[in-house]
Coordinates of all heavy atoms in Angstrom, one line a residue:
N16 N 96.1 53.8 -102.4 CA 95.9 54.7 -101.2 C 96.8 55.9 -101.4 O 96.4 57.0 -101.1 CB 96.1 54.0 -99.9 CG 94.9 53.1 -99.5 OD1 93.8 53.3 -100.0 ND2 95.2 52.1 -98.7
D17 N 98.0 55.7 -101.8 CA 99.0 56.8 -102.0 C 98.5 57.8 -103.1 O 98.5 59.0 -102.9 CB 100.4 56.3 -102.3 CG 101.1 55.6 -101.2 OD1 100.6 55.9 -100.0 OD2 102.0 54.9 -101.4
W18 N 98.0 57.2 -104.2 CA 97.5 58.0 -105.3 C 96.2 58.8 -104.8 O 96.0 59.9 -105.2 CB 97.1 57.2 -106.5 CG 98.3 56.6 -107.2 CD1 99.6 56.9 -107.0 CD2 98.2 55.7 -108.3 NE1 100.4 56.2 -107.9 CE2 99.5 55.5 -108.7 CE3 97.2 55.1 -109.0 CZ2 99.8 54.6 -109.8 CZ3 97.5 54.3 -110.0 CH2 98.8 54.0 -110.4
N19 N 95.4 58.1 -104.0 CA 94.2 58.8 -103.5 C 94.5 60.0 -102.6 O 93.9 61.0 -102.7 CB 93.3 57.8 -102.7 CG 92.0 58.3 -102.3 OD1 91.4 59.2 -103.0 ND2 91.5 57.9 -101.1
E20 N 95.5 59.8 -101.8 CA 96.0 60.9 -100.9 C 96.5 62.1 -101.8 O 96.2 63.3 -101.5 CB 97.0 60.5 -99.9 CG 96.4 59.6 -98.8 CD 97.5 59.0 -97.9 OE1 98.7 59.4 -98.1 OE2 97.2 58.1 -97.1
K21 N 97.3 61.8 -102.8 CA 97.8 62.8 -103.7 C 96.7 63.5 -104.4 O 96.8 64.8 -104.5 CB 98.9 62.2 -104.6 CG 100.1 61.8 -104.0 CD 101.1 61.1 -105.0 CE 102.3 60.6 -104.3 NZ 103.2 60.0 -105.2
L22 N 95.8 62.8 -104.9 CA 94.7 63.4 -105.7 C 93.8 64.2 -104.8 O 93.3 65.3 -105.2 CB 93.8 62.3 -106.4 CG 94.5 61.7 -107.6 CD1 93.6 60.5 -108.1 CD2 94.7 62.7 -108.7
N23 N 93.6 63.8 -103.5 CA 92.8 64.6 -102.6 C 93.5 65.9 -102.3 O 92.9 66.9 -102.1 CB 92.5 63.8 -101.3 CG 91.4 62.7 -101.5 OD1 90.6 62.9 -102.4 ND2 91.4 61.7 -100.7
G24 N 94.8 65.8 -102.1 CA 95.6 67.0 -101.8 C 95.5 68.0 -103.0 O 95.4 69.2 -102.8
F25 N 95.7 67.5 -104.2 CA 95.6 68.3 -105.4 C 94.2 68.9 -105.5 O 94.1 70.1 -105.8 CB 95.9 67.5 -106.6 CG 95.8 68.3 -107.9 CD1 96.9 69.1 -108.3 CD2 94.7 68.2 -108.7 CE1 96.8 69.9 -109.5 CE2 94.6 69.0 -109.9 CZ 95.7 69.8 -110.3
A26 N 93.2 68.2 -105.3 CA 91.8 68.7 -105.4 C 91.5 69.7 -104.4 O 90.9 70.8 -104.7 CB 90.8 67.5 -105.3
A27 N 92.0 69.5 -103.2 CA 91.8 70.5 -102.1 C 92.5 71.8 -102.4 O 92.0 72.9 -102.1 CB 92.3 70.0 -100.8
D28 N 93.7 71.8 -103.1 CA 94.5 73.0 -103.4 C 94.0 73.7 -104.6 O 94.0 74.9 -104.6 CB 95.9 72.6 -103.6 CG 96.6 72.1 -102.3 OD1 96.1 72.4 -101.2 OD2 97.7 71.5 -102.4
H29 N 93.6 73.0 -105.6 CA 93.3 73.6 -106.9 C 91.9 73.6 -107.4 O 91.5 74.4 -108.2 CB 94.2 72.9 -108.0 CG 95.6 73.0 -107.8 ND1 96.4 72.1 -107.1 CD2 96.5 74.0 -108.1 CE1 97.6 72.5 -107.1 NE2 97.7 73.6 -107.7
L30 N 91.1 72.7 -106.9 CA 89.7 72.6 -107.4 C 88.7 73.1 -106.5 O 87.5 72.7 -106.6 CB 89.4 71.1 -107.8 CG 90.3 70.4 -108.8 CD1 90.0 69.0 -109.0 CD2 90.3 71.2 -110.1
D31 N 89.1 73.9 -105.5 CA 88.1 74.5 -104.6 C 87.6 75.8 -105.1 O 87.7 76.8 -104.4 CB 88.8 74.6 -103.2 CG 87.8 74.8 -102.1 OD1 86.7 74.5 -102.3 OD2 88.3 75.3 -101.0
N32 N 87.0 75.7 -106.3 CA 86.5 76.9 -106.9 C 85.4 76.6 -107.8 O 85.4 75.6 -108.5 CB 87.7 77.6 -107.7 CG 87.3 78.9 -108.3 OD1 86.2 79.3 -108.3 ND2 88.3 79.6 -108.9
A33 N 84.3 77.4 -107.8 CA 83.1 77.1 -108.6 C 83.4 77.1 -110.1 O 82.9 76.4 -110.9 CB 82.0 78.0 -108.3
G34 N 84.3 78.1 -110.5 CA 84.7 78.2 -111.9 C 85.4 77.0 -112.5 O 85.1 76.5 -113.6
V35 N 86.3 76.4 -111.7 CA 87.0 75.2 -112.1 C 86.1 74.0 -112.1 O 86.2 73.2 -113.1 CB 88.2 75.0 -111.1 CG1 88.9 73.7 -111.4 CG2 89.2 76.1 -111.1
G36 N 85.2 73.9 -111.2 CA 84.2 72.8 -111.2 C 83.3 72.9 -112.5 O 83.0 71.9 -113.1
T37 N 82.9 74.1 -112.8 CA 82.1 74.3 -114.0 C 82.9 73.9 -115.3 O 82.4 73.3 -116.2 CB 81.6 75.8 -114.1 OG1 80.9 76.1 -112.9 CG2 80.7 76.0 -115.3
A38 N 84.1 74.3 -115.3 CA 85.0 74.0 -116.5 C 85.2 72.5 -116.6 O 85.1 71.9 -117.7 CB 86.3 74.7 -116.4
V39 N 85.3 71.8 -115.5 CA 85.5 70.3 -115.5 C 84.2 69.7 -116.0 O 84.2 68.8 -116.8 CB 85.9 69.8 -114.1 CG1 85.7 68.3 -114.0 CG2 87.2 70.3 -113.7
V40 N 83.0 70.1 -115.5 CA 81.8 69.5 -116.0 C 81.6 69.8 -117.5 O 81.1 68.9 -118.2 CB 80.6 70.1 -115.1 CG1 79.3 69.7 -115.7 CG2 80.7 69.6 -113.7
I41 N 81.9 71.0 -117.9 CA 81.7 71.3 -119.4 C 82.7 70.4 -120.2 O 82.3 69.9 -121.2 CB 81.9 72.8 -119.6 CG1 80.7 73.6 -119.0 CG2 82.1 73.1 -121.1 CD1 80.9 75.1 -119.0
G42 N 83.9 70.3 -119.7 CA 84.9 69.4 -120.4 C 84.4 68.0 -120.5 O 84.5 67.3 -121.5
I43 N 83.9 67.4 -119.4 CA 83.4 66.1 -119.4 C 82.2 66.0 -120.4 O 82.1 65.0 -121.1 CB 82.9 65.6 -118.0 CG1 84.2 65.5 -117.1 CG2 82.1 64.3 -118.0 CD1 83.9 65.2 -115.6
F44 N 81.3 67.0 -120.4 CA 80.2 67.0 -121.3 C 80.7 67.0 -122.8 O 80.1 66.2 -123.6 CB 79.3 68.2 -121.1 CG 78.1 68.2 -122.0 CD1 77.0 67.4 -121.9 CD2 78.1 69.2 -123.0 CE1 76.0 67.4 -122.7 CE2 77.0 69.2 -123.9 CZ 75.9 68.4 -123.8
I45 N 81.6 67.8 -123.1 CA 82.1 67.9 -124.5 C 82.8 66.6 -124.9 O 82.5 66.1 -126.0 CB 83.1 69.1 -124.6 CG1 82.3 70.4 -124.5 CG2 83.9 69.0 -125.9 CD1 83.2 71.6 -124.4
I46 N 83.6 66.0 -124.0 CA 84.2 64.7 -124.4 C 83.2 63.6 -124.5 O 83.3 62.8 -125.4 CB 85.3 64.4 -123.3 CG1 86.4 65.3 -123.3 CG2 85.8 62.9 -123.4 CD1 87.4 65.2 -122.1
S47 N 82.2 63.6 -123.6 CA 81.1 62.6 -123.7 C 80.4 62.7 -125.0 O 80.0 61.7 -125.7 CB 80.2 62.7 -122.6 OG 80.9 62.5 -121.4
A48 N 80.0 64.0 -125.4 CA 79.3 64.2 -126.7 C 80.1 63.7 -127.9 O 79.5 63.1 -128.8 CB 78.9 65.7 -126.8
Y49 N 81.4 64.0 -127.9 CA 82.3 63.6 -129.0 C 82.3 62.1 -129.0 O 82.2 61.5 -130.1 CB 83.7 64.2 -128.8 CG 84.6 63.7 -129.8 CD1 84.6 64.1 -131.1 CD2 85.6 62.7 -129.5 CE1 85.4 63.6 -132.1 CE2 86.4 62.2 -130.4 CZ 86.4 62.7 -131.7 OH 87.2 62.2 -132.7
V50 N 82.5 61.4 -127.9 CA 82.6 60.0 -127.9 C 81.3 59.3 -128.4 O 81.3 58.4 -129.1 CB 83.0 59.5 -126.5 CG1 82.9 58.0 -126.4 CG2 84.4 59.9 -126.2
I51 N 80.2 59.9 -127.9 CA 78.9 59.3 -128.3 C 78.7 59.5 -129.8 O 78.2 58.6 -130.5 CB 77.7 60.0 -127.5 CG1 77.8 59.5 -126.1 CG2 76.4 59.7 -128.1 CD1 76.9 60.3 -125.1
S52 N 79.0 60.6 -130.3 CA 78.8 60.9 -131.8 C 79.8 60.0 -132.6 O 79.4 59.5 -133.6 CB 79.1 62.3 -132.1 OG 80.4 62.7 -132.0
A53 N 81.0 59.7 -132.1 CA 82.0 58.9 -132.8 C 81.5 57.4 -132.8 O 81.7 56.7 -133.7 CB 83.3 59.0 -132.1
L54 N 80.9 57.0 -131.7 CA 80.5 55.6 -131.6 C 79.2 55.4 -132.4 O 78.9 54.2 -132.7 CB 80.3 55.2 -130.1 CG 81.5 55.1 -129.3 CD1 81.2 54.8 -127.8 CD2 82.5 54.1 -129.9
N55 N 78.4 56.4 -132.6 CA 77.1 56.2 -133.4 C 77.3 56.3 -134.9 O 76.4 55.9 -135.6 CB 76.1 57.3 -133.0 CG 75.5 57.0 -131.6 OD1 75.4 55.9 -131.2 ND2 75.1 58.1 -130.9
K56 N 78.5 56.6 -135.4 CA 78.8 56.6 -136.8 C 78.9 55.2 -137.3 O 79.5 54.4 -136.6 CB 80.0 57.4 -137.1 CG 79.9 58.9 -136.9 CD 81.1 59.6 -137.3 CE 81.0 61.1 -137.0 NZ 82.2 61.8 -137.3
K57 N 78.4 54.9 -138.4 CA 78.5 53.5 -138.9 C 79.4 53.4 -140.1 O 79.6 54.2 -140.9 CB 77.1 53.0 -139.3 CG 76.3 52.8 -138.1 CD 75.0 52.1 -138.5 CE 74.1 51.8 -137.3 NZ 72.9 51.2 -137.6

Side-chain angles (χ1 to χ4, degrees):
N16 284 334
D17 291 340
W18 287 355
N19 186 33
E20 290 174 7
K21 290 178 184 178
L22 287 174
N23 284 338
F25 178 80
D28 292 341
H29 296 95
L30 300 178
D31 196 18
N32 186 350
V35 175
T37 303
V39 169
V40 169
I41 291 172
I43 291 172
F44 178 75
I45 291 171
I46 292 170
S47 300
Y49 174 74
V50 169
I51 289 170
S52 69
L54 292 176
N55 282 333
K56 291 181 181 176
K57 290 186 179 182

